[in-house]
Amino acid sequence: MRINHRASLLSSPLISLLVLSGFVNAIDGWKFTITEATIDDIQRAFTTNELTSRQLVDLYLGQIASLNPLLRGVLEVNPDARDQADQADHERKAAANQGRRGLGELHGIPVLLKDSIATEDALNTTCGSYALLGSKVPRDSGVVERLRRAGAVILGKATLAEWYGVRSTKIPEGWCARGGQGVNPYVESRGPCGSSSGSAISVAANMVSVSLGTETYGSIICPGDHNSVVGLKPTVGLTSRAGVIPISPRQDSIGPICRTVTDAVYLLDAIVGFDPRDYEATKAAAKFIPAGGYRQFLNQDGLKGKRLGVVRNPFSDSYNGSTAILAFEHHLNVLRQRGATILDNLEIADIDIIMDPSRSGVIIALLAEFKLSINDYLEELINSTVKSLSDIIAFNLNNSVLEMMKEYGQNGFLTSEMTTGIGEEEIKAIKKMEYLSKYGFEKLMKDNNLDAMVTLGSGASIVLAIGGYPAITVPAGYESDGMPFGILFGGLKGTEPKLIEIAYAFEQATMVRRPPRSLL
Ligand SMILES: *[C@@H]1O[C@H](CO)[C@@H](O)[C@H](O)[C@H]1NC(C)=O
Ligand SMILES: *[C@@H]1O[C@H](CO)[C@@H](O)[C@H](O)[C@H]1NC(C)=O
Ligand SMILES: *[C@@H]1O[C@H](CO)[C@@H](O)[C@H](O)[C@H]1NC(C)=O
Ligand SMILES: *[C@@H]1O[C@H](CO)[C@@H](O)[C@H](O)[C@H]1NC(C)=O
């Protein structure tokens, strides 16, 4: 009877969503459900033999098959994911038989990668563009090498804003030619933000356990904020950029996008560290990595004694009239109650210049840096039809329908192609950003002896991006139309331990995140 019941219900799309979203487990009497499953939940289910990695991968593949045609967060599924899961299950069984424990938190856990993070396998690495489809990368990226060593299952690649939006100022957030328009699973009309849109959409909609994104100028923090998930952008150099499609070695950072702070920290622990292929930056940042990793800072009392500086101008302005303002006040009280000292209404010097990309110097620097670094990246590709930025420009002209050139053009690429390396203009622009950071954010932090800056929404990610500073966004509420917003904590270089303590204690005190209602 139950089977008949389910078979008839399955003809309804809503019910098939319920079934595929893990509800079927409850029907079948399992305790485990993939909806909002954390890495700890999954590892517990592995240990008690309630779940195998293979079953978990199949559940997510079902969820992707059902939801992704709507949401377009996943660009490619790895045809080897099931085999990798079987391998993980085999290793876990062998370890248990030998009485060994502790294969690590990521062992057997499915991870989705932004489509700019290279994998040397059946998956393509294309930044969402047809120009790189079918090309072969020389090797795994540095972060993927580490994920594989940790036993993670590479589930697939996530959609993104094509070429991070560098191609054109008209590229919509979350759109790429290969994947189409990524959709915010909470409020379709409000957009997912970019450029790590697919990574955030996919974890928000429970299509995967955890994901990686990349950020140059807000691209982890903004989609995290807009899709009600945790985004952690590490200090530049803490994670290797080797084998990741670049914009700027000065600003690029690879980081986790997950449903919880704990999951983000497990993923961070797996990917940080020195990489000879990203020598200078990872060597300089390696001194920040604490012995024993970052999980020791998942501390319920992490707010005790912290000094937090609240900057409202101009980040709260975009929420004028929204319920988010009230929620933010409430959260500041929570931070106080949990033992933090709040210094309110602080100001960052020259914030109007910092927030204006045409005045801060960031556009001038990024366009020149992009040409240099993308040409280096493409040079290494095997069997690629494009070997340089000028080839990509030609490819787009040759394939203008596929790449929607009439609609979006490639003004960013054309301007970047006209640059001639880091000359006088670019050095001036980079010096200006260093000055703005030193006498803006750093001065704010040091003058007030702060552990972190606190802001509403994701706007302040720009301040942190141009200086290479770390940031973490945690779900903080939903506006009256259901649109998520986050709270952002930012700190000086290498202060991830403090940011994790603050973000985790905040998350545990508030537990704001809900899965998208339309999908439940
Ligand atoms: C990678 O792209 C090729 C087309 O060049 C396609 O045949 C293949 O299926 C893609 N790989 C995956 C895993 O989707
Ligand atoms: C917020 O909105 C009110 C009116 O709705 C307006 O008077 C005020 O100037 C706005 N503040 C900002 C910072 O935009
Ligand atoms: C590159 O392409 C050629 C011709 O299509 C093929 O024979 C060769 O195996 C390819 N090399 C790699 C590394 O894929
Ligand atoms: C673009 O088309 C021209 C003319 O057919 C061809 O010579 C060139 O190789 C193509 N370039 C790319 C990158 O597709």
Side-chain angles (χ1 to χ4, degrees):
M1 190 192 122
R2 194 172 66 195
I3 288 166
N4 286 341
H5 184 55
R6 264 171 63 192
S8 65
L9 284 175
L10 270 171
S11 57
S12 142
L14 174 69
I15 298 302
S16 70
L17 288 192
L18 288 177
V19 169
L20 285 162
S21 62
F23 226 75
V24 65
N25 294 347
I27 296 170
D28 286 346
W30 291 18
K31 273 179 269 156
F32 181 80
T33 162
I34 60 163
T35 306
E36 302 296 283
T38 65
I39 289 177
D40 284 336
D41 292 336
I42 293 167
Q43 291 297 350
R44 209 172 298 126
F46 285 163
T47 304
T48 56
N49 296 317
E50 263 181 90
L51 179 75
T52 64
S53 184
R54 171 62 181 263
Q55 286 171 324
L56 182 64
V57 164
D58 284 338
L59 284 170
Y60 284 128
L61 292 178
Q63 185 86 338
I64 290 168
S66 137
L67 297 181
N68 202 54
L70 245 78
L71 298 178
R72 296 172 184 270
V74 178
L75 184 55
E76 285 188 2
V77 157
N78 188 357
D80 301 325
R82 285 185 164 119
D83 287 346
Q84 287 176 17
D86 284 340
Q87 174 70 20
D89 289 332
H90 177 77
E91 287 168 8
R92 189 180 318 105
K93 210 177 238 174
N97 286 343
Q98 295 161 22
R100 283 189 293 125
R101 314 163 117 261
L103 289 171
E105 274 80 10
L106 284 193
H107 192 267
I109 300 292
V111 181
L112 191 72
L113 306 167
K114 189 174 183 175
D115 186 44
S116 56
I117 301 174
T119 51
E120 191 192 4
D121 54 16
L123 293 161
N124 296 287
T125 305
T126 69
C127 230
S129 162
Y130 284 102
L132 288 181
L133 190 59
S135 67
K136 255 185 78 59
V137 299
R139 62 187 80 84
D140 279 338
S141 52
V143 289
V144 167
E145 274 177 18
R146 287 182 185 272
L147 287 177
R148 291 198 204 275
R149 245 181 276 149
V153 173
I154 306 299
L155 191 66
K157 293 284 172 78
T159 57
L160 71 175
E162 186 179 297
W163 294 113
Y164 307 127
V166 176
R167 182 183 123 185
S168 166
T169 46
K170 291 188 193 154
I171 297 280
E173 54 182 44
W175 177 87
C176 60
R178 289 190 58 216
Q181 179 61 56
V183 170
N184 185 314
Y186 291 87
V187 183
E188 178 170 355
S189 61
R190 301 279 296 264
C193 200
S195 64
S196 304
S197 44
S199 307
I201 292 166
S202 301
V203 288
N206 284 282
M207 294 196 282
V208 67
S209 301
V210 291
S211 72
L212 282 187
T214 74
E215 169 158 332
T216 305
Y217 195 61
S219 282
I220 288 175
I221 297 301
C222 187
D225 173 280
H226 280 42
N227 294 281
S228 204
V229 288
V230 173
L232 197 168
K233 181 225 141 175
T235 303
V236 169
L238 201 64
T239 52
S240 167
R241 289 84 50 83
V244 178
I245 295 174
I247 300 178
S248 159
R250 202 176 35 75
Q251 286 184 215
D252 294 350
S253 187
I254 321 305
I257 300 183
C258 302
R259 287 180 293 270
T260 67
V261 175
T262 304
D263 283 357
V265 167
Y266 289 160
L267 199 47
L268 183 71
D269 269 338
I271 61 171
V272 295
F274 172 69
D275 181 353
R277 294 187 198 285
D278 185 9
Y279 186 88
E280 275 176 38
T282 58
K283 187 160 186 286
K287 64 173 177 286
F288 295 131
I289 302 171
Y294 289 98
R295 71 197 56 201
Q296 63 190 295
F297 304 106
L298 296 168
N299 171 10
Q300 295 263 10
D301 296 325
L303 282 161
K304 213 166 262 174
K306 294 290 191 298
R307 285 174 66 85
L308 306 179
V310 178
V311 180
R312 296 169 188 262
N313 174 35
F315 312 116
S316 292
D317 290 355
S318 57
Y319 292 97
N320 197 6
S322 159
T323 51
I325 297 285
L326 275 178
F328 189 56
E329 301 310 325
H330 170 79
H331 292 326
L332 295 180
N333 279 330
V334 171
L335 298 175
R336 283 188 195 96
Q337 282 156 14
R338 299 282 162 147
T341 301
I342 302 286
L343 288 82
D344 207 343
N345 287 309
L346 301 183
E347 297 269 347
I348 297 171
D350 290 324
I351 190 64
D352 51 331
I353 300 174
I354 291 170
M355 294 304 289
D356 181 347
S358 65
R359 290 163 77 201
S360 70
V362 76
I363 291 185
I364 291 171
L366 290 185
L367 287 173
E369 289 166 336
F370 177 71
K371 180 181 176 183
L372 293 173
S373 39
I374 195 69
N375 283 344
D376 283 350
Y377 176 89
L378 295 172
E379 189 105 327
E380 280 213 285
L381 291 181
I382 302 159
N383 279 9
S384 177
T385 50
V386 296
K387 284 284 194 184
S388 66
L389 177 56
S390 70
D391 287 348
I392 303 173
I393 290 170
F395 178 92
N396 287 341
L397 293 172
N398 287 359
N399 299 274
S400 61
V401 175
L402 212 51
E403 285 291 340
M404 295 190 72
M405 284 288 284
K406 208 175 112 208
E407 290 80 0
Y408 306 136
Q410 52 181 342
N411 61 356
F413 276 178
L414 295 172
T415 315
S416 179
E417 180 58 19
M418 281 174 358
T419 64
T420 52
I422 306 298
E424 237 172 82
E425 279 272 300
E426 288 77 17
I427 291 171
K428 217 175 102 193
I430 292 166
K431 287 240 157 77
K432 188 168 185 188
M433 283 186 280
E434 286 170 0
Y435 178 92
L436 289 169
S437 296
K438 186 167 178 198
Y439 295 101
F441 180 66
E442 290 217 27
K443 189 166 188 307
L444 170 92
M445 294 294 292
K446 287 174 179 166
D447 282 359
N448 296 288
N449 193 22
L450 299 179
D451 295 300
M453 171 181 77
V454 187
T455 62
L456 173 60
S458 62
S461 59
I462 300 308
V463 176
L464 303 161
I466 65 167
Y469 307 110
I472 184 165
T473 177
V474 181
Y478 304 88
E479 295 186 75
S480 50
D481 63 352
M483 180 65 183
F485 56 88
I487 191 168
L488 176 62
F489 303 103
L492 295 172
K493 286 181 188 172
T495 60
E496 279 82 358
K498 285 181 186 179
L499 296 184
I500 289 166
E501 284 191 308
I502 293 163
Y504 178 74
F506 169 79
E507 176 199 53
Q508 294 303 303
T510 54
M511 297 297 274
V512 168
R513 182 186 148 73
R514 298 285 173 267
R517 213 179 299 149
S518 61
L519 307 180
L520 273 180

